[in-house]
Amino acid sequence: LLSRLSAARPKVADYPFTTLSPHLGIVKGNDMSFVMADIPGLIEGAHAGKGLGIQFLRHIERTRVLVFVIDAAAGEPQQTYRVLCHELQAYSPALLTKPRLVALNKIDLLADGPAQGAAFEPGVPVCAISALTGEGLGQLVYLVESLLQAADRARSGGGKGED
């Protein structure tokens, strides 16, 4: 995803957890440019130190917006989302106060496309994408920009603070 949205060229392979350390890239959106971090995937038990989870969770603390990139073709994306939220909550409840969205990736592998209106959590936008083909990436960037702008307004006191 990072290599499709920016000039960054992290290692990409066809197996989970290709990313072993965070990579950064500058994404040029419609209204702004922003830094996107590709943070290695979390596994169940990360908050307790399983794998390299604590190192990855520390990087997540520095972000302003969270994008949960979930494999739409892997089975139960809602369950994956719940596990990830549990890991964030167990590590630091403040992480779940950050604006977030779900990017259902690999929709190019689904015969019928992603389930329309797949609900993950009220108020959490869901965007169907294919990092491989580029489908849905414009919508994803738009959503990230919107969340960043809302977070900036709330932080500067220019909004209602409910993002």
Side-chain angles (χ1 to χ4, degrees):
L1 180 61
L2 185 65
S3 66
R4 287 296 298 230
L5 295 176
S6 74
R9 295 295 168 244
K11 179 181 175 183
V12 178
D14 63 353
Y15 54 87
F17 305 110
T18 301
T19 304
L20 299 176
S21 62
H23 293 89
L24 302 176
I26 304 294
V27 177
K28 292 184 172 123
N30 298 314
D31 297 326
M32 64 190 307
S33 294
F34 55 90
V35 176
M36 179 177 269
D38 177 11
I39 297 174
L42 295 176
I43 59 173
E44 196 164 8
H47 74 279
K50 188 172 182 183
L52 298 174
I54 297 295
Q55 288 175 273
F56 302 159
L57 286 162
R58 285 187 189 131
H59 290 291
I60 293 170
E61 286 181 306
R62 298 183 198 140
T63 64
R64 292 179 15 220
V65 171
L66 301 175
V67 178
F68 291 78
V69 181
I70 298 175
D71 185 343
E76 298 183 19
Q78 285 92 347
Q79 178 59 25
T80 301
Y81 178 74
R82 283 190 292 274
V83 168
L84 292 172
C85 286
H86 171 75
E87 292 304 319
L88 296 179
Q89 174 75 26
Y91 177 74
S92 171
L95 290 176
L96 289 180
T97 65
K98 293 178 182 267
R100 60 188 181 271
L101 66 95
V102 174
L104 288 176
N105 192 24
K106 300 186 182 179
I107 60 168
D108 54 295
L109 298 178
L110 302 176
D112 298 329
Q116 294 302 313
F120 284 79
E121 185 175 343
V124 176
V126 177
C127 185
I129 67 166
S130 170
L132 180 66
T133 68
E135 184 177 354
L137 296 185
Q139 176 67 17
L140 176 66
V141 170
Y142 171 79
L143 289 170
V144 171
E145 281 183 311
S146 297
L147 291 173
L148 285 168
Q149 290 168 346
D152 287 346
R153 283 191 304 274
R155 190 170 56 190
S156 67
K160 297 177 184 174
E162 296 183 31
D163 300 310

